[in-house]
Amino acid sequence: MKLRTRLGLGIVSITIILLVPLLLALRSLESVHQTTRSLRDREFAASLLLGNFRERTDEVKRLEDALVLVADSASLIRMREHLDKLSATADSLSRYSSREAATDISNAVLSLRASTEAEFAAAAAGAANTAEEISSQRTRPALLTIERAIGRANARLADETRERVDEAASTTVDARRTAAGSLAVALLIATLIAIWLTRSISRPVFDLERGMKAVADGDFTQRLPMIEKRTDEFGRLAASYQGMTSQLAELDKLKAEFVSVASHELKTPINVIVGYLELLQENIYGELNPKQREICATLGKQAQTLTRLVKRLLDISRFEAGGGKLERRQVDLDRFLHSFETSFQVLALQREISFRVVRGSDLPSHVLWDEDRINEVLGNLLSNAFKFTDRGGVVELVVEGSESEVRIDVQDTGVGIAAEQLPHIFEKFFQANNQAYAAVKGTGLGLAIAREIVEAHGGTISVESTLGRGTTFSITLPVRAVITRRTPFRRTPVVEEVA
């Protein structure tokens, strides 16, 4: 599946999943709406109707009193009108109240209509006692029956309203729980999909980043097994990466072979030149005049410079090709450091530079190193320190130790190195732009060889520098150097044995 297709499906899936809680919430809200509307259309309407019915009943009571006292036709007409309205209200009430209560109210209204007619006829005939008797025996009981029916209907309506309200509240709670639960599940699923999408992108990007970093460090053997199996854009990118690393490895191998062969082939003509110069200086081919001797001396110095350059090229080529060997032996560390103290003290006096060797309190008495190789490394670092430190400056060789390793810092107060150049300082032929301060320019191989030697011992080398304030090279070496097998195109030594 292509990456774009995967991203599109993931986004659509997340959208659909997040829409599900919304649809469920809308459905729950619709249920709540139906319940509240039913409550409004039935219970609330019934409550208003009962209140209206009670008011009309009270009006009938007042008209009944007026009917007995006045006994005129107008009172009878108003009574009839209110009884008609009361009858119509009773019919409407039958839709909301119980059938029994509605029947009782309808019968009571019919009885009330008949009793009020009889009561009016008696009052109109002047039979007040008869009218009063009809009122007490027929009219008042009918009104009392209506009030009782209204009371029962009102009680029933209150129970139904309470049930409806509880139902609405329960529906609201269920809607809230449904919405919250579905949202939580949707968010969980959406999060899992997002994590899957992120991992499907971030993991190959991380692998590619790691591979490119390895290439930048000179390791062309780094593979991308997880990405190579993919068929999307990352799979094609991994295939391009593998092709690139294969070509770079081949180019680096060819370069190393070329440097090694060229350096080896240069040794013979240089040795011939040096040999004939020595014969000339010994007057084997006749006496030389002063000018000729000066020229021969200059040629000799240049030949020696070429010899050192060729030797360094051969050294670094052997290390890169895996052929650099260490001759480890027990080294008296105090004697080893004392030799640097005495050797560079003369140079310090000549340059008017303060030089000292600072020893830590926990230094081991002996170490297992290749003394000549480490001597070459420290000699190169100290020479550079003196080269780039002005008169009156300070150069220090600080050595601290523990049970398992020794840390050596070469510090100076010289011109320093620009920050953007520090990552390249150990590359072959790289020279910082501070060479203008040096009396003699280097070849750009010394620090590259130093790194190879240190790493061949199983140690590390790093540098810190500030322009105008100085530079510190830090070396960490195990007390007992490991025997390592240097793999071509690989910066990290492979440990085979610890002595």
Side-chain angles (χ1 to χ4, degrees):
M1 182 185 298
K2 292 184 177 181
L3 184 61
R4 287 174 293 181
T5 305
R6 185 178 303 174
L7 288 173
L9 289 176
I11 293 173
V12 171
S13 300
I14 291 175
T15 303
I16 294 174
I17 289 170
L18 292 179
L19 283 176
V20 170
L22 178 61
L23 296 176
L24 291 176
L26 291 176
R27 183 177 178 182
S28 300
L29 289 175
E30 180 63 24
S31 178
V32 173
H33 175 67
Q34 293 290 344
T35 302
T36 53
R37 187 168 61 183
S38 175
L39 186 64
R40 179 198 65 187
D41 295 342
R42 180 176 175 82
E43 280 73 20
F44 184 68
S47 178
L48 292 177
L49 192 62
L50 282 175
N52 189 19
F53 198 88
R54 193 181 298 276
E55 290 178 359
R56 294 185 184 282
T57 302
D58 293 339
E59 184 65 23
V60 168
K61 286 182 181 180
R62 289 192 297 271
L63 289 174
E64 193 265 339
D65 292 336
L67 186 66
V68 175
L69 294 175
V70 179
D72 58 348
S73 58
S75 298
L76 180 62
I77 292 173
R78 287 197 301 273
M79 174 63 78
R80 288 173 179 173
E81 291 176 354
H82 278 80
L83 287 176
D84 290 340
K85 293 178 180 179
L86 198 65
S87 179
T89 305
D91 293 339
S92 300
L93 187 63
S94 63
R95 296 198 303 268
Y96 303 106
S97 183
S98 65
R99 183 171 298 178
E100 181 182 356
T103 301
D104 291 344
I105 291 174
S106 297
N107 292 333
V109 170
L110 292 175
S111 177
L112 187 61
R113 187 185 298 274
S115 65
T116 53
E117 293 286 343
E119 186 177 348
F120 174 77
N129 292 331
T130 303
E132 184 66 30
E133 183 178 355
I134 292 172
S135 176
S136 60
Q137 292 182 359
R138 296 174 59 187
T139 304
R140 297 292 178 180
L143 290 172
L144 182 61
T145 299
I146 291 174
E147 290 180 350
R148 288 175 178 174
I150 291 174
R152 292 197 302 273
N154 193 36
R156 181 180 179 86
L157 181 62
D159 293 338
E160 291 179 355
T161 302
R162 190 179 301 107
E163 291 177 0
R164 288 281 187 173
V165 170
D166 292 341
E167 181 182 351
S170 177
T171 304
T172 303
V173 173
D174 291 341
R176 184 174 61 187
R177 289 177 178 174
T178 301
S182 59
L183 180 61
V185 173
L187 287 176
L188 177 61
I189 297 175
T191 302
L192 293 176
I193 294 176
I195 291 174
W196 172 71
L197 284 175
T198 303
R199 287 174 62 87
S200 67
I201 297 174
S202 62
R203 288 186 64 181
V205 169
F206 174 76
D207 290 342
L208 282 171
E209 180 183 8
R210 184 177 57 184
M212 296 306 295
K213 186 177 184 301
V215 170
D217 290 338
D219 180 7
F220 304 134
T221 62
Q222 183 75 30
R223 296 188 63 83
L224 308 173
M226 297 301 296
I227 308 180
E228 291 173 4
K229 300 176 182 178
R230 299 175 63 142
T231 58
D232 56 7
E233 292 84 349
F234 282 115
R236 295 194 295 272
L237 189 59
S240 300
Y241 166 85
Q242 293 302 146
M244 177 192 69
T245 54
S246 299
Q247 292 179 8
L248 287 174
E250 186 65 26
L251 287 174
D252 199 72
K253 181 180 179 181
L254 291 174
K255 179 192 67 177
E257 290 177 353
F258 169 77
V259 172
S260 178
V261 171
S263 301
H264 188 271
E265 294 298 324
L266 284 173
K267 287 178 65 177
T268 300
I270 291 174
N271 289 334
V272 172
I273 292 172
V274 172
Y276 275 106
L277 285 173
E278 291 177 352
L279 292 175
L280 286 172
Q281 289 175 337
E282 293 175 1
N283 299 321
I284 299 298
Y285 300 103
E287 186 72 25
L288 299 178
N289 59 42
K291 186 62 177 179
Q292 290 173 336
R293 286 190 179 277
E294 182 181 351
I295 294 174
C296 286
T298 302
L299 291 175
K301 289 180 181 179
Q302 296 302 318
Q304 293 299 328
T305 301
L306 281 175
T307 302
R308 288 194 300 271
L309 176 60
V310 170
K311 180 179 181 299
R312 289 187 173 185
L313 285 173
L314 285 173
D315 281 343
I316 198 166
S317 297
R318 289 193 188 101
F319 276 111
E320 288 183 342
K325 296 181 179 179
L326 299 179
E327 296 180 1
R328 298 175 308 145
R329 58 178 180 270
Q330 289 287 344
V331 178
D332 186 327
L333 191 56
D334 185 68
R335 176 192 58 78
F336 181 71
L337 296 177
H338 182 70
S339 65
F340 284 103
E341 197 168 20
T342 56
S343 299
F344 283 91
Q345 197 64 48
V346 176
L347 182 59
L349 292 174
Q350 292 174 349
R351 294 288 189 91
E352 297 180 7
I353 294 174
S354 175
F355 173 66
R356 58 181 175 270
V357 177
V358 181
R359 297 173 174 82
S361 57
D362 296 329
L363 285 177
S365 59
H366 290 81
V367 292
L368 189 63
W369 295 342
D370 186 327
E371 183 176 359
D372 294 335
R373 290 294 190 177
I374 299 300
N375 184 79
E376 180 182 351
V377 171
L378 296 180
N380 182 66
L381 295 179
L382 286 171
S383 297
N384 287 340
F386 278 99
K387 183 190 302 183
F388 296 106
T389 302
D390 294 331
R391 296 181 184 276
V394 177
V395 175
E396 290 184 341
L397 180 64
V398 182
V399 187
E400 297 178 349
S402 64
E403 293 182 359
S404 59
E405 63 183 22
V406 175
R407 177 186 173 93
I408 304 173
D409 292 338
V410 178
Q411 305 172 354
D412 66 62
T413 58
V415 295
I417 305 170
E420 63 272 14
Q421 295 182 338
L422 289 177
H424 309 287
I425 201 68
F426 295 105
E427 296 177 3
K428 296 189 299 292
F429 304 109
F430 180 82
Q431 291 182 322
N433 57 11
N434 57 5
Q435 294 294 316
Y437 295 91
V440 180
K441 293 187 178 182
T443 61
L445 292 173
L447 292 179
I449 295 174
R451 181 178 66 172
E452 297 291 344
I453 293 173
V454 170
E455 291 183 352
H457 278 76
T460 59
I461 183 171
S462 61
V463 60
E464 295 179 359
S465 185
T466 304
L467 281 176
R469 299 182 61 181
T471 304
T472 299
F473 282 90
S474 299
I475 299 173
T476 302
L477 293 169
V479 173
R480 303 181 67 83
V482 296
I483 298 177
T484 60
R485 175 175 55 83
R486 300 288 293 174
T487 303
F489 320 122
R490 189 179 182 89
R491 293 258 64 90
T492 306
V494 179
V495 179
E496 293 182 343
E497 173 190 352
V498 178

